């Protein structure tokens, strides 16, 4: 019954490494999102996409990029990981339009540690 | 910069009591708000949405929206230990496709 799948639950990377976080949804949702969650800061939006090959910056896009080549898959890329990117990363999706666009279904999260 | 603010807690209530979780927001134009629940180690899940001024009830949960005061609340009646979680308030940010979340309030219901 898993609907939003994140490829890795736990990752440990070194400073400067390139990191890929993958997210796949099986609900045919148009909208997909990447958030990071840090204690005391809540969820902060990094990037989102409302269609294949479309992307928009969220509130904290610096140091990140995204790719959406297929409707079901949304990837978050850290070109050169830094220690301040150690965090829990949450992928989410939602249907298009109206109030349903705000009903987010989240993946289980990917906890990234950058040493 | 649109903001959604919550008291981080923890809010501790005895089993059977009413838990009241509060949220304030800065964008006067916001029309709808959402409450997500996040158990420890799990991802958030939507539990309530409210689109108009007033109250909306769903079982033991009541969401309240006061647009004049820019205030949203979630009441949990007959609180149970299984309600212990972090509750995240969220509102629209720059279009209906995006949400801005508060930092969350941790609720602890003790037997």
């Amino acid at each position: 019954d898993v609907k939003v799948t994140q490829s890795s639950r736990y990752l440990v990377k070194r400073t400067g490494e390139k990191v890929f976080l993958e997210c796949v949804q099986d609900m045919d949702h148009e909208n997909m999102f990447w958030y990071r969650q840090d204690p005391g800061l809540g969820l902060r939006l990094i990037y989102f996409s409302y269609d294949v090959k479309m992307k928009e910056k969220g509130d904290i896009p610096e140091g990140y990029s995204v790719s959406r080549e297929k409707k079901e898959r949304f990837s978050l890329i850290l070109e050169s990981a830094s220690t301040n990117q150690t965090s829990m990363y949450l992928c989410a999706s939602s249907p298009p339009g109206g109030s349903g666009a705000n009903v987010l279904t989240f993946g289980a999260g990917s906890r990234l540690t950058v040493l | 910069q649109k903001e959604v603010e919550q008291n981080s807690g923890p809010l501790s209530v005895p089993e059977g009591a009413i838990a009241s979780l509060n949220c304030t927001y800065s964008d006067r134009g916001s029309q709808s708000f959402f409450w997500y629940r996040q158990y420890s180690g799990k991802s958030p899940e939507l539990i309530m949405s409210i689109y108009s001024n007033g109250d909306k009830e769903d079982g033991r949960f009541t969401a309240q929206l006061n647009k004049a005061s820019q205030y949203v609340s979630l009441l949990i009646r007959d609180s149970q230990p299984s309600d212990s979680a972090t509750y995240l308030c969220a509102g629209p940010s720059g279009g209906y496709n995006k949400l801005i979340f508060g930092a969350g309030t941790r609720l602890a219901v003790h037997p």
Side-chain angles (χ1 to χ4, degrees):
Chain A
D1 191 38
V2 175
K3 296 174 179 174
V4 179
T5 303
Q6 295 184 230
S7 56
S8 305
R9 283 287 279 144
Y10 301 94
L11 302 95
V12 179
K13 298 292 182 181
R14 298 205 174 273
T15 301
E17 280 192 80
K18 191 170 186 176
V19 181
F20 292 88
L21 299 179
E22 304 283 339
C23 175
V24 177
Q25 52 96 2
D26 63 2
M27 296 171 287
D28 202 34
H29 284 170
E30 273 73 7
N31 301 320
M32 295 189 75
F33 308 83
W34 275 106
Y35 287 88
R36 65 177 282 177
Q37 186 172 29
D38 301 288
L41 297 177
L43 289 160
R44 292 180 291 166
L45 182 64
I46 304 171
Y47 267 97
F48 71 101
S49 168
Y50 52 89
D51 202 352
V52 175
K53 298 190 184 295
M54 305 303 289
K55 60 185 179 184
E56 287 199 25
K57 294 180 180 179
D59 299 317
I60 52 165
E62 297 79 17
Y64 304 94
S65 62
V66 290
S67 172
R68 194 164 179 202
E69 296 297 318
K70 294 184 178 181
K71 187 176 184 180
E72 67 271 17
R73 189 180 296 271
F74 192 36
S75 302
L76 181 69
I77 303 155
L78 289 67
E79 293 289 342
S80 178
S82 63
T83 55
N84 62 12
Q85 292 178 309
T86 292
S87 186
M88 172 66 83
Y89 290 88
L90 288 164
C91 176
S93 69
S94 72
S99 58
N102 294 132
V103 180
L104 304 182
T105 300
F106 285 88
S110 298
R111 183 165 293 282
L112 172 65
T113 300
V114 183
L115 303 176
Chain B
Q1 176 77 9
K2 297 181 175 68
E3 292 182 346
V4 174
E5 295 190 354
Q6 297 179 255
N7 186 321
S8 62
L11 174 65
S12 182
V13 300
E15 184 174 357
I18 296 175
S20 177
L21 303 159
N22 306 312
C23 171
T24 59
Y25 60 93
S26 63
D27 182 14
R28 286 192 173 274
S30 295
Q31 301 293 315
S32 54
F33 287 88
F34 307 86
W35 284 98
Y36 283 77
R37 178 178 61 201
Q38 186 175 24
Y39 290 115
S40 180
K42 302 293 185 181
S43 53
E45 57 177 342
L46 180 71
I47 55 170
M48 287 287 286
S49 56
I50 185 164
Y51 300 100
S52 58
N53 246 0
D55 296 359
K56 177 184 176 182
E57 188 174 318
D58 184 0
R60 296 187 295 112
F61 297 89
T62 299
Q64 299 175 320
L65 175 57
N66 183 325
K67 291 184 180 180
S69 302
Q70 296 176 246
Y71 183 88
V72 189
S73 64
L74 179 70
L75 301 179
I76 306 174
R77 291 181 298 282
D78 188 23
S79 295
Q80 301 296 310
S82 59
D83 295 325
S84 299
T86 296
Y87 290 81
L88 301 162
C89 174
S93 172
Y96 60 76
N97 285 339
K98 292 194 301 181
L99 288 179
I100 182 169
F101 285 83
T105 298
R106 187 157 61 91
L107 172 67
V109 181
H110 54 86

